[in-house]
Amino acid sequence: MCGIIGYVGTQPALPRLLTGLSRLEYRGYDSAGIAVADDSGICAHKRQGRLSALEKDVKQRTFTQKTGIGHTRWATHGAPDDINAHPHMSFDGRFAVVHNGIIENYAALKAELQQEGVTFRSDTDTEVVAHLLAKHYKGDFRRAVAETVARLNGAYALGILCRDFPHELFAVRRASPLVVGVSADGGYIASDVTALLPFTRRVMLPEEGDMVRVTADGIAVWEESGKLVNRPFEEVTWSAATAEKGDYPHYMLKEMWEQPAALAATLAPHLENDGIRLPELAGFPACGWVGLRRICMVACGSAYHAAMVGKYVVEKWARLPVEVDLASEFRYREQPLDERTLTVVISQSGETADTLAALRKAKRCGSPVLAIVNVTGSTIARESDRVLYTQAGPEVAVATTKGYTTQVAMLFLLGGFLARQRGELTAEAERRLTKDLRELPALTQETLTVATVGAAKWLSQARDVYFIGRGIGYAVALEGALKLKEISYIHAEGYAAGELKHGTISLVEEGTPVVVLGCGEVAPEKTLSNLREVTARGARVLAVTTADLCEIYGEAAEVLTVPTVSPQLSAIPVAVVLQLLAYYTALERGCDIDKPRNLAKSVTVE
Ligand code: G6P
């Protein structure tokens, strides 16, 4: 979704803005723009389409300005064209604004401004902010910003330039992500740390409602009440290189190959001798682990699919009922929640708007909230009662890979931990689980070499692909189908193997690819019957199975085998094969793998 960047310092702003914007591309966007300022005024450029179009435009001139803001826009209000692209200028040309989020009361504000004679150029909600700034401005930049944001409802991270103060910028944050960075050559704002890594690792995360002034000399922060406050800066551990492609043709491929290391980094700190340790959960929840009645796992997209794996694992190991909900449904459903229901929110970015709203709802209802998050200091991490951090490092490809598998790994840890706390896991079983978890990274490394290119070639010709499995296999089937459709644009669906015959099997024709997942421990012979049912109707079956089950599924047209692992843990190697399949299928079809059409990495609107 929209990304913002800003710089004020001793060096030309434009190259920094363009580098920052290129680091924000992964969030998903359909237009880009910049505005730079100096004593002669503000100069803005914006273009529909890829950042390269904007770069081509601006590279024809020399820009020496040392103050600027930039934006990648993922259209919500108004078409993705040049006019709706950010920055937006105020009617008097004094202010330029970039915005991430949605101004919910923009229609009322727009009507008010129009009545006062303001003409709007774009269809965006953001333009009202620019005009309000001009309306409230009486010579004091900070005051105009404060009076403007006091009128706004909704979610926003704003970057603002004022022609009269060309050596500073203001930023404000409410329910949208914003990071502030400092380096020897000046100060920065950005939607996420990844955009700042080429310049600095010294960052500060503003609180809700904070207003930040950036100048070449430093940062000043006012909290919502107007009081000047000191916010702590910290060094991020991610290096610039971890968010670069290196020799890989795509981020997605690089990130798939980073999975063994990401899994090791996520698991190892929690595996001690013969047991699982989660010190983050000490003294939590208030009712105690035995007092818990159930768990609600809430997430969106692939994180929701990780939660599905978590459900099977926690119910089996800890004997605790688990409901899994899409965050966008959970937040409006009138379900009973109380202090004995643990809500587990799962989010790679920690900024997904619906997941955040679900978290807030759970807290309002008195449910203790545990977050599984990848991005340190993200809003979901900050607002939850407790956080378990996955250690995937920065994930840039829109289609998540290491983000998802590290979430699944963290759910294995949580499942084992809960089982032990609730007296459902013997010391011996915990020892075995710990050993299996330790082996997962090496096993994943082995899985990455499974030859998927041939199968991907025939999948790439398909119109529809169905993924079926039982238990854990069903949960992974959902993720496999999502991976394929999001990057290759082939219609794909994940189904519980036993459910296909209740409707969807009518779509199976001669040659339709069906991917049968032979993993988990649930009734392989039943899944085999399902394989036969579709084969009898002409389907061409690709089986993806653990080595111990490969004979059972030997009648498939093609079998891809991953190393044998304990049934629940097979979710990870099987998912890795499905990631590879999706990747090579999309490659075969010439798709824009890292930036699929219409998708955003970080979905900060509801
Ligand atoms: C977007 C991404 C998905 C991701 C989902 C949830 O749709 O494209 O890959 O699974 O958001 O994101 P989160 O950051 O909350 O895990």
Side-chain angles (χ1 to χ4, degrees), residues 140 142 186 190 225 263 322 338 343 358 366 460 501 512 584:
D140 184 334
R142 181 167 79 86
S225 69
L263 288 166
V322 179
D338 57 22
T343 301
S460 70
K501 63 173 96 53
T512 303
Y584 287 110

Side-chain angles (χ1 to χ4, degrees), residues 300-303 346-350 352 355 398-400 407 486 600-601 603:
C300 303
S302 295
I346 306 170
S347 172
Q348 185 282 126
S349 63
T352 303
T355 311
V398 166
T400 178
Q407 285 164 349
E486 63 184 340
K601 177 80 181 158
V603 181

Side-chain angles (χ1 to χ4, degrees), residues 10 37 91 98 149 152 173 187 207 224 233 284 296 324 355 407 420 442 486 519 533 556 577:
T10 55
F91 56 80
V98 290
V149 295
L152 307 179
R173 155 177 202 274
E207 301 278 333
E224 202 169 4
F233 275 79
F284 179 77
C296 290
V324 179
T355 311
Q407 285 164 349
R420 190 79 173 117
E486 63 184 340
C519 65
E533 281 159 15
V577 170

Side-chain angles (χ1 to χ4, degrees), residues 26-27 299-305 346-353 355 372 374-375 380 395 397-401 403-404 407 479 482-483 486 596 599-603:
Y26 80 98
R27 296 168 66 90
C300 303
S302 295
Y304 169 76
H305 297 154
I346 306 170
S347 172
Q348 185 282 126
S349 63
E351 302 292 349
T352 303
T355 311
I372 295 179
N374 190 43
V375 178
I380 289 174
E395 193 178 59
V398 166
T400 178
T401 52
Y404 165 81
Q407 285 164 349
E479 176 60 8
L482 179 65
K483 259 332 48 107
E486 63 184 340
L599 295 183
K601 177 80 181 158
S602 182
V603 181

